[in-house]
Amino acid sequence: MNAMTRHRRSRTLLALVGAVTAVLIVTTGANAAPSCSTQQLTFGRYDPELGDFSLWSARLDGTHRIRLSRAVSWFSDWSPDRRTIAYDALDGADEHLHLTDPQGGHRRQLTFGPGIQEVPRWSPDGRLIAYDASDLTPDQEGFSTSIWVIHADGTRPRRLTTQGFDVEPDWSPDGRRIVFVRITGVNGAGVQQAGVWVMDADGSHQHQVAPARTGAQHPDWSPDGRWIAFTTEPGSAESILRVHPDGTGLSSLIPATARYQFYKSVWSADGDAILVGCNDLHSHVDKICRTDGQGRHVRLVIDETPTFVNYPSW
């Protein structure tokens, strides 16, 4: 697995070539913090001292960058009121969910115990956080993940899926359903195969909306509820696909270009723009780009060449 691919996946997905086969066979920058969090995004920036990513924020034009975490951190998500950021962070061999404010203060740990809890996503009403979790770490035999929800105060964690290897949940805009990725195995080249699934918010009525394909991951529900976007394996002619929640209309949203391959798309709250990871095929460095709500008019937002950035959220 090369560095470019390594830096695009959650910790769970990184372990899948081995694990799925086994299972299935506050420090700020020089600039002051922005005064309005609605104008901020969060992202991961590769830190050579950590040997992995830490959590940062910036304005939508890429300026006023603030380091939010000094621990190894990957995915983050903003609460609906924009006052709190949920993120996952490494703690020894384990991984837990944490909360912080947009300036990196008032940090607190949300989940505890052995194993991993990763990829937090807030419910539209701000009461719950969905995530994927396992009591084991990816290097342990029998490792598999399920979708869970927990109250925003850290109480009453509840497991929603038990039937598969499930990761990366996201809520429908009305909070009644959750989309997630179900990993089915790896192909002969050792590349993950996964489908996109939807269920009710209580875990019932699980059904597939996009068939298993190479590298399917990172689903994100559009604010109007009409589309679910997801990433295909880097190198595909169609880096970001979309599908209706009933499984119809599978089509390209952001096709790869001669300059960029795309991954981890995230719609803005009003649906007028999309934040997306973009691998520059000229420099072979991961950056963060922005498009309009139809996946057009790509422009750079965060470019720290030669440093990799990833895991965009807003």
Side-chain angles (χ1 to χ4, degrees), residues 5 59 146 149 298 308:
T5 303
R59 285 185 176 174
S146 303
V149 293
V298 176
F308 281 57

Side-chain angles (χ1 to χ4, degrees), residues 235-307:
S236 167
E238 298 177 318
S239 293
I240 305 293
L241 299 182
R242 63 180 180 179
V243 65
H244 289 304
D246 64 0
T248 63
L250 182 63
S251 56
S252 174
L253 175 61
I254 312 178
T257 68
R259 180 66 184 268
Y260 295 114
Q261 292 174 344
F262 301 103
Y263 53 95
K264 293 191 184 73
S265 61
V266 188
W267 264 289
S268 62
D270 59 11
D272 289 341
I274 298 171
L275 205 61
V276 64
C278 48
N279 176 255
D280 188 330
L281 297 175
H282 294 180
S283 65
H284 303 292
V285 172
D286 286 351
K287 306 174 181 181
I288 294 174
C289 294
R290 183 179 179 179
T291 76
D292 66 15
Q294 299 300 314
R296 302 167 300 191
H297 310 300
V298 176
R299 65 181 179 88
L300 276 173
V301 177
I302 305 289
D303 178 3
E304 298 203 0
T305 303
T307 300

Side-chain angles (χ1 to χ4, degrees), residues 185-196:
V186 294
N187 63 18
V191 179
Q192 163 200 320
Q193 305 292 296
V196 179

Side-chain angles (χ1 to χ4, degrees), residues 28-41:
T28 64
N31 295 317
S35 59
C36 179
S37 67
T38 60
Q39 299 301 311
Q40 286 178 269
L41 60 92

Side-chain angles (χ1 to χ4, degrees), residues 74-155:
W74 296 287
F75 286 88
S76 62
D77 192 45
W78 292 76
S79 63
D81 64 8
R82 305 291 296 177
R83 294 180 179 178
T84 308
I85 299 163
Y87 65 98
D88 50 30
L90 199 60
D91 178 16
D94 300 317
E95 183 181 357
H96 303 299
L97 302 185
H98 299 256
L99 302 177
T100 185
D101 66 29
Q103 285 72 47
H106 300 95
R107 297 192 195 103
R108 68 181 181 89
Q109 188 170 327
L110 189 71
T111 61
F112 298 84
I116 68 169
Q117 303 96 45
E118 63 173 6
V119 196
R121 298 301 292 264
W122 291 86
S123 63
D125 62 8
R127 294 177 57 248
L128 299 171
I129 295 174
Y131 59 102
D132 66 66
S134 174
D135 291 337
L136 303 175
T137 56
D139 58 345
Q140 292 180 297
E141 184 177 355
F143 173 75
S144 180
T145 53
S146 303
I147 305 302
W148 289 66
V149 293
I150 191 170
H151 282 255
D153 63 1
T155 62

